[in-house]
Amino acid sequence: MIDGFKLHPAYLDRQTQHSLVMEIRACLIAAPLFTPALPRSGKPFSVRMSNAGPLGWVSDQQGGYRYQAHHPVTGSPWPAIPDLVLKIWDDLSGYPAPPEACLINWYGPDARMGLHQDKDEAARDAPVLSISLGDTALFRIGAAVKGTPTRSLRLSSGDVALLSGDARESRHGIDRLMPGTSTLLDAPGRINLTLRRVTLPATPPG
Ligand code: MD6
Ligand code: FE
């Protein structure tokens, strides 16, 4: 496995997963899911997205991948990251500053996410923390270098994955869901929360 990739299987119990889903539903009322599009081609993602936190990740044909403080459709600031989510970051990230972006990914049964690297953040020293809720997904991960082998693993509801160190630069994506593998959500599908520090924290004096 790639150094710095850490999977915590079943980190969240069912009750906590349920509470998280309710918190995320509240976020999505304030900041509805939108459909991002690829830079240049404008091809829509099959995953729909929203965000919580001071900064949200968005992408469209004109502006490409970026973080911004406002919802691209409503223009409102993103809702706050739920305390429950901040606690998971505090417990697992080992990073001395809070996350600024909580990307909310919604996968319908046929959604997928191509291999990519997370590199739109200045704070590349911070890990990326990912929380899976709902149907199991087949996650693919490989080293940063194109053409090197990748491996596939399952991300199930309640799993938390951390990408730090070398794995922070890894290529990764979601090949497909396994619909019907979880009863957490009302509909077949999956929610993935990805927590990121975007800006470098101010360096402490001394
Ligand atoms: C997903 N995850 O699990 C997509 N990125 O739906 C990601 O793109 C991801 O799981 C950075 C770190 C962990 C991840
Ligand atoms: Fe990613």
Side-chain angles (χ1 to χ4, degrees):
M1 216 335 99
I2 299 164
D3 276 354
F5 175 78
K6 182 147 179 57
L7 179 63
H8 297 269
Y11 183 77
L12 305 168
D13 65 24
R14 175 82 179 197
Q15 178 58 53
T16 309
Q17 293 174 42
H18 183 71
S19 303
L20 262 179
V21 170
M22 291 198 293
E23 299 278 10
I24 295 310
R25 282 197 213 290
C27 288
L28 293 179
I29 290 169
L33 291 166
F34 63 91
T35 300
L38 287 170
R40 293 182 292 279
S41 74
K43 185 178 184 287
F45 283 60
S46 59
V47 179
R48 291 193 296 150
M49 300 184 181
S50 187
N51 292 271
L55 291 172
W57 188 88
V58 302
S59 179
D60 53 35
Q61 183 168 21
Q62 294 292 321
Y65 300 164
R66 64 197 185 272
Y67 284 94
Q68 64 181 40
H70 297 88
H71 191 288
V73 180
T74 68
S76 296
W78 306 106
I81 301 177
D83 287 345
L84 190 50
V85 174
L86 292 175
K87 180 165 174 4
I88 298 168
W89 174 270
D90 281 349
D91 291 345
L92 292 180
S93 74
Y95 197 71
E100 293 168 300
C102 173
L103 176 64
I104 303 168
N105 288 139
W106 165 256
Y107 292 77
D110 297 318
R112 53 194 70 228
M113 189 178 296
L115 274 187
H116 65 275
Q117 291 171 291
D118 287 29
K119 48 181 182 186
D120 304 315
E121 303 80 23
R124 226 81 73 73
D125 59 327
V128 182
L129 188 156
S130 139
I131 302 170
S132 293
L133 297 165
D135 284 332
T136 299
L138 293 179
F139 181 70
R140 181 168 296 284
I141 182 167
V145 188
K146 271 195 182 168
T148 54
T150 59
R151 60 163 284 193
S152 170
L153 57 130
R154 291 173 189 206
L155 295 180
S156 300
S157 197
D159 290 0
V160 177
L162 265 178
L163 298 189
S164 44
D166 288 350
R168 179 68 180 75
E169 312 278 310
S170 72
R171 290 171 304 136
H172 57 272
I174 296 291
D175 288 342
R176 64 177 176 87
L177 297 200
M178 301 170 68
T181 42
S182 167
T183 56
L184 183 71
L185 307 175
D186 302 334
R190 171 175 181 262
I191 296 169
N192 167 257
L193 306 178
T194 317
L195 300 178
R196 300 186 184 84
R197 181 75 197 186
V198 179
T199 65
L200 286 165
T203 28

